[in-house]
Amino acid sequence: MSSGNVVVGLVLVGVCNLVLALNTWSRRELWDLDRDLMPKWVALMNGRAALNYQLAAAVFFFGLAIVLA
């Protein structure tokens, strides 16, 4: 696997995390209501923690892509 393929993969994972963060942010109030209906093993994080995790993961993967490019 070439370095370019790895960079493209990391950028795609970063973009996916940004899309997930946008979805979590846009459903801020609804997420917590939906979370109460989910089994406890599914809803490990509330809306704010999930948003923070997704943004941190996006920055991490974009940073890895930049370092490897």
Side-chain angles (χ1 to χ4, degrees):
M1 185 181 292
S2 70
S3 176
N5 289 342
V6 173
V7 171
V8 169
L10 290 171
V11 168
L12 286 175
V13 172
V15 169
C16 289
N17 276 295
L18 282 179
V19 170
L20 285 171
L22 178 63
N23 185 39
T24 301
W25 178 73
S26 65
R27 295 174 32 108
R28 224 176 345 193
E29 293 83 19
L30 296 175
W31 175 260
D32 289 329
L33 296 175
D34 290 345
R35 191 174 145 265
D36 292 336
L37 302 174
M38 294 180 191
K40 291 302 177 194
W41 63 270
V42 173
L44 296 176
M45 294 184 277
N46 63 12
R48 184 170 301 228
L51 179 64
N52 290 340
Y53 171 79
Q54 291 156 355
L55 289 174
V59 168
F60 174 75
F61 286 113
F62 284 139
L64 273 177
I66 290 170
V67 168
L68 293 176

